[in-house]
């Protein structure tokens, strides 16, 4: 019971930190977009997948390995040192490679020479990020999630402050460079590194660790950690490579479509730096659900309690579809207008209206993927996610040059639907879950339309009194309240397993 309570406590801390980080990150993007513009956001979004590839190589799999092996209380610091000896040298080598070959990477791979200076600054953050990711893995193993949670929040705060100071000092005329976004990322990583260094040093002193291990013991642990982390690293690296190729191809294919380089980068920046973060904002809730599901499903799986697993899956699917359908309605009627006002970009409205249809599938994909991982099907989720990325790449290569950015958004929708269906089929075959079309789709859809329709009456009344974001925010909140009331009062099922 004590271990279970620790898991619940840690999950709640991470959930709260995730929601706060989403909020901070959202305001950070708003301010950043006002400072560097759509073209600057486009360059920033193009160059960041390169960091994702590096982090996949030097820290993502190793962090998971540290979380697994550091549960050994007698050798926890030895396992941490083993992970750091794998991660830090690799990150330093990659920093040297990226920094010295930034021009070549920007020209030949990213296909935008303006990214060269950005890559050089970005590469300096690799060792700091690798270090604090390893430290976070150590504290996850110890169920001391407050330290990783605060590290995440601290990093976001420093990023925002760094951009504000940069703009105040170096761009008082309002013409800020995309460099401020890259510098803010670097300073955020350094701040997180310093915080994690102080935390692990305090933990080390407090534990009164006695180094009585031989060099051969350390080497054996490094080999064991490498053996465990290599498949995880390979899977995540492949995912990031596909995503990086996508980030490069979107502006390139828009140029083939007939747009200028500046316009293509601007459109990509508006889409991925402004519209998508708005759509993904509710994932703070569904990601928190996914975090709680993975250990819960793993525990039920070890107990062979298929009945409880099926009941949990049905409840989660119902919750995600309900949240997704309501989010779609709110984004179409309120979020699209609010996004255009907040980011000061009229194009955001059209993009949000199209991307809003992604909501149910994104939320379902995240949750069902977490359930599959909890059941030990990590390879299946990786293959299915890669299949979705391949579908988007096909749309990019074949249809975007002919029909423009709309086809890229159609590819996003098709890929999410495909992954969602694949996840469901895998779960259905494993646990014999039957689809409940009435409870999963029809009722949430009806409640969403009814609550949104009623809220529009309230919105029209308020908009006569005040203008701007207040009526939009009021209408969205009203729709949520009415939907929750309808769902809690009239929903006829109790999500029994099927």
């Amino acid at each position: 019971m004590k271990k279970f309570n620790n898991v619940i406590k840690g999950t709640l801390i991470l959930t709260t930190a995730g929601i706060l980080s989403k909020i901070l990150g959202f305001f950070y993007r708003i301010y950043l977009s006002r400072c560097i513009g759509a073209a600057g956001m486009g360059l920033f979004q193009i160059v960041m997948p390169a960091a994702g590839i590096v982090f996949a190589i030097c820290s993502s799999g190793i962090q998971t390995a540290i979380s697994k092996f550091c549960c050994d209380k007698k050798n926890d610091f030895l396992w941490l040192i083993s992970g750091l000896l794998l991660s830090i040298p690799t990150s330093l080598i990659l920093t040297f490679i990226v920094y010295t070959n930034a021009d070549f990477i920007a020209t030949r791979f990213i296909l935008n020479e303006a990214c060269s200076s950005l890559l050089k600054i970005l590469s300096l953050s690799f060792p700091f990020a690798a270090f604090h990711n390893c430290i976070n893995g150590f504290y996850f193993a110890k169920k001391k999630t407050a330290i990783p949670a605060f590290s995440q929040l601290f990093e976001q705060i420093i990023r925002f402050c760094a951009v504000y100071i940069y703009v105040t000092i170096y761009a008082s005329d309002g013409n800020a460079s995309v460099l401020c976004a890259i510098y803010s990322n670097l300073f955020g990583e350094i701040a997180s590194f310093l915080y994690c260094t102080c935390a692990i040093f305090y933990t080390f002193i407090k534990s009164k660790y006695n180094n009585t291990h031989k060099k051969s013991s350390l080497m054996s642990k490094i080999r064991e950690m490498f053996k465990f982390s290599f498949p995880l690293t390979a899977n995540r690296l492949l995912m990031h490579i596909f995503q990086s190729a996508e980030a490069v191809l979107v502006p390139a294919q828009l140029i083939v479509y007939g747009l200028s380089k500046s316009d293509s980068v601007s459109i990509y920046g508006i889409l991925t730096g402004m519209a998508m973060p708005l759509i993904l904002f509710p994932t703070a809730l569904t990601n928190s659900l996914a975090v709680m599901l993975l250990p819960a499903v793993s525990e039920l799986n070890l107990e062979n309690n298929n009945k409880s697993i099926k009941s949990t899956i049905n409840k989660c699917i119902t919750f995600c579809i309900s949240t997704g359908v309501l989010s779609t309605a709110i984004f179409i009627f309120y979020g699209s207008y609010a996004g255009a006002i907040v980011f000061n970009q009229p194009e955001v409205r059209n993009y949000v209206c199209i991307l809003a249809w992604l909501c149910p599938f994104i939320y379902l994909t995240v949750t069902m993927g977490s359930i599959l991982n909890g059941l030990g099907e990590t390879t299946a989720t990786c293959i299915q996610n890669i299949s979705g990325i391949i579908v988007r790449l096909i749309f990019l290569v074949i249809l975007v040059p002919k029909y423009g950015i709309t086809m890229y958004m159609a590819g996003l929708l098709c890929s999410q639907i495909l992954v969602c269906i694949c996840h469901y089929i895998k779960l259905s075959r494993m646990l014999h879950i039957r689809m409940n079309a009435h409870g999963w789709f029809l009722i949430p859809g009806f409640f969403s339309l009814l609550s949104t329709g009623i809220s529009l009456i309230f919105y029209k009344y308020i908009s006569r009194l005040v203008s701007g974001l207040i009526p939009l925010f009021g209408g969205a909140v009203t729709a949520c309240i009415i939907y929750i009331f309808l769902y809690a009062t009239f929903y006829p099922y109790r999500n029994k397993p099927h």
Side-chain angles (χ1 to χ4, degrees):
M1 180 61 69
K2 184 177 179 181
K3 290 183 179 180
F4 181 77
N5 289 337
N6 287 336
V7 171
I8 295 297
K9 180 181 176 182
T11 302
L12 289 174
I13 292 172
L14 285 177
T15 300
T16 305
I19 293 172
L20 291 175
S21 293
K22 279 276 186 182
I23 295 172
L24 287 172
F26 186 65
F27 285 108
Y28 168 75
R29 284 181 177 273
I30 293 172
Y31 184 72
L32 190 63
S33 67
R34 296 287 181 92
C35 295
I36 66 177
M41 288 295 290
L43 287 175
F44 182 63
Q45 294 297 129
I46 290 171
V47 81
M48 286 309 293
I53 291 176
V54 172
F55 297 150
I57 295 172
C58 66
S59 67
S60 59
I62 296 172
Q63 182 191 43
T64 305
I66 290 173
S67 295
K68 173 182 171 63
F69 291 118
C70 284
C71 293
D72 179 5
K73 294 182 179 180
K74 293 183 179 179
N75 299 298
D76 50 0
F77 279 100
L78 197 63
W79 283 115
L80 175 60
I81 293 169
S82 301
L84 289 171
L85 288 175
L86 282 174
S87 182
I88 301 302
T90 305
S91 66
L92 290 171
I93 292 170
L94 291 171
T95 294
F96 177 78
I97 292 173
V98 173
Y99 190 91
T100 55
N101 296 278
D103 293 337
F104 177 78
I105 295 170
T107 305
R108 298 296 181 88
F109 291 99
I110 298 181
L111 306 179
N112 194 318
E113 60 275 6
C115 293
S116 176
S117 59
L118 306 182
L119 284 171
K120 288 183 178 180
I121 301 169
L122 185 65
S123 67
L124 300 177
S125 67
F126 298 161
F128 302 109
F131 179 85
H132 80 71
N133 282 340
C134 290
I135 301 302
N136 286 346
F138 175 83
Y139 284 111
F140 287 143
K142 298 300 175 185
K143 305 214 170 30
K144 295 180 180 179
T145 51
I147 292 174
F150 188 78
S151 170
Q152 185 181 14
L153 289 173
F154 188 49
E155 182 180 341
Q156 286 282 18
I157 292 169
I158 295 299
R159 284 184 181 182
F160 191 94
C161 293
V163 170
Y164 180 78
I165 293 171
Y166 182 95
V167 172
T168 302
I169 297 175
Y170 296 103
S172 57
D173 58 352
N175 296 318
S177 166
V178 68
L179 285 173
C180 72
I182 303 298
Y183 276 120
S184 70
N185 179 79
L186 174 60
F187 291 136
E189 297 290 359
I190 292 173
S192 187
F193 161 80
L194 293 174
Y195 173 78
C196 288
T197 301
C198 294
I200 197 66
F201 181 75
Y202 175 77
T203 303
F204 183 82
I205 297 299
K206 188 178 179 180
S207 67
K208 298 179 181 179
Y209 179 73
N210 184 19
N211 185 14
T212 58
H213 302 280
K214 298 179 180 179
K215 183 179 178 180
S216 59
S217 177
L218 178 62
M219 292 304 298
S220 66
K221 283 177 169 50
I222 291 175
R223 286 193 295 269
E224 190 172 351
M225 182 162 286
F226 176 79
K227 183 179 179 180
F228 178 83
S229 64
F230 182 77
L232 293 171
T233 300
N235 284 341
R236 291 171 187 175
L237 176 61
L238 193 59
M239 289 284 294
H240 281 291
I241 288 174
F242 276 119
Q243 290 170 353
S244 299
E246 186 179 37
V248 172
L249 275 173
V250 173
Q253 296 300 87
L254 288 176
I255 292 173
V256 176
Y257 173 66
L259 299 178
S260 66
K261 179 181 287 188
S262 176
D263 289 341
S264 64
V265 172
S266 295
I267 287 175
Y268 184 68
I270 294 170
L271 178 65
T272 59
M274 301 179 194
M276 277 303 293
L278 195 65
I279 294 295
L280 295 176
F281 189 79
T283 57
L285 181 61
T286 53
N287 286 345
S288 299
L289 176 65
V291 169
M292 290 185 283
L293 274 176
L294 195 149
V297 171
S298 298
E299 184 178 352
L300 292 171
N301 189 41
L302 289 174
E303 298 171 355
N304 292 320
N305 192 345
N306 287 343
K307 183 177 180 180
S308 295
I309 293 175
K310 290 169 69 175
S311 176
T312 300
I313 291 172
N314 273 276
K315 291 176 182 177
C316 292
I317 289 176
T318 303
F319 172 78
C320 289
I321 293 177
S322 300
T323 304
V325 171
L326 178 63
S327 297
T328 298
I330 288 176
F331 280 127
I332 289 174
F333 290 102
Y334 301 112
S336 57
Y337 294 94
I341 295 172
V342 167
F343 290 107
N344 197 26
Q345 290 287 347
E347 294 90 345
V348 172
R349 179 191 167 194
N350 295 328
Y351 295 163
V352 170
C353 284
I354 297 173
L355 295 173
W357 299 99
L358 284 168
C359 291
F361 305 105
I362 290 178
Y363 306 160
L364 271 175
T365 299
V366 171
T367 303
M368 289 195 293
S370 181
I371 293 170
L372 285 171
N373 288 333
L375 294 171
E377 298 293 333
T378 53
T379 302
T381 55
C382 178
I383 292 172
Q384 290 166 4
N385 287 329
I386 290 173
S387 300
I389 294 176
I390 291 173
V391 169
R392 296 207 298 266
L393 291 176
I394 291 172
F395 271 76
L396 264 175
V397 173
I398 298 175
L399 297 176
V400 170
K402 295 182 179 180
Y403 304 103
I405 195 64
T406 305
M407 284 296 104
Y408 173 67
M409 291 185 279
L412 284 174
L413 181 59
C414 290
S415 67
Q416 285 294 332
I417 293 173
L418 173 66
V419 175
C420 192
I421 291 173
C422 289
H423 283 358
Y424 174 76
I425 291 173
K426 183 66 177 178
L427 285 172
S428 180
R429 287 179 176 176
M430 291 177 66
L431 301 168
H432 307 290
I433 298 172
R434 291 182 297 171
M435 182 178 293
N436 178 11
H438 187 259
W440 288 356
F441 304 106
L442 295 179
I443 293 177
F446 174 73
F447 285 171
S448 295
L449 290 174
L450 183 60
S451 59
T452 306
I454 297 172
S455 71
L456 285 172
I457 299 173
F458 176 78
Y459 165 73
K460 289 182 178 179
Y461 175 77
I462 296 295
S463 61
R464 295 174 183 174
L465 304 176
V466 292
S467 59
L469 291 173
I470 294 177
L472 295 170
F473 180 76
V477 171
T478 303
C480 291
I481 293 173
I482 295 172
Y483 184 87
I484 293 171
F485 172 77
L486 292 172
Y487 201 87
T489 306
F490 299 107
Y491 189 66
Y493 299 99
R494 290 296 174 263
N495 303 319
K496 295 180 181 180
H498 295 276

